[in-house]
Amino acid sequence: MQVRTRRQGDLDRAALTISKTGEILPDENAQDRAADQSVVESTRANRQVYYQDFHVSLPTPYADRQFSRTITNGAFLLTDPATGEIVFSFPLPMVALSVRGRYVASYSVQGVQAAYSTKQRDLK
């Protein structure tokens, strides 16, 4: 039986083993990840993370990076996948001082903690 395999070489790739007929086969090498965890990539053009249909914009120093996103009962967390350091978080339920439709600026979220700071952000 021919099998096309895509192994989890990076955190951003799902481990899938799919047969030629399209059947999904179990992958023993896959790393288990909880349903509330995923890897997100922030680009210079799109520095947003998503939480319950809201687009939370991230500061400029977060561009061109990958983060592990974890949502618990009490917090939304972005961590550095290499070091495990929490680089961005806010308590749940999310309370924002300013919401424009579905868009929320990260600095307007109450209780937000950000590791990569800018001078403008420190002034706010």
Side-chain angles (χ1 to χ4, degrees):
M1 172 165 67
Q2 289 184 337
V3 176
R4 182 182 301 170
T5 304
R6 184 174 182 181
R7 300 285 180 208
Q8 186 169 347
D10 278 343
L11 284 175
D12 62 335
R13 296 185 186 203
L16 298 175
T17 303
I18 303 174
S19 72
K20 193 173 184 178
T21 61
E23 180 184 359
I24 297 176
L25 304 172
D27 188 353
E28 297 80 26
N29 296 329
Q31 296 176 358
D32 291 334
R33 188 176 299 141
D36 60 357
Q37 292 181 322
S38 65
V39 174
V40 294
E41 184 172 352
S42 173
T43 63
R44 195 158 299 285
N46 183 14
R47 296 184 326 268
Q48 296 178 357
V49 292
Y50 303 95
Y51 175 70
Q52 291 187 344
D53 294 332
F54 287 102
H55 305 247
V56 180
S57 64
L58 297 173
T60 304
Y62 288 79
D64 299 324
R65 296 176 186 243
Q66 284 188 342
F67 303 102
S68 295
R69 181 190 72 181
T70 304
I71 301 171
T72 65
N73 288 336
F76 177 95
L77 307 165
L78 291 181
T79 58
D80 184 333
T83 64
E85 173 190 11
I86 298 174
V87 295
F88 183 84
S89 67
F90 57 84
L92 296 178
M94 180 176 72
V95 177
L97 303 175
S98 174
V99 178
R100 293 183 183 162
R102 293 184 299 178
Y103 297 95
V104 179
S106 60
Y107 60 82
S108 72
V109 178
Q110 284 187 333
V112 71
Q113 299 290 319
Y116 307 134
S117 188
T118 62
K119 289 180 183 179
Q120 292 84 3
R121 183 172 183 82
D122 290 339
L123 291 175
K124 290 182 183 184

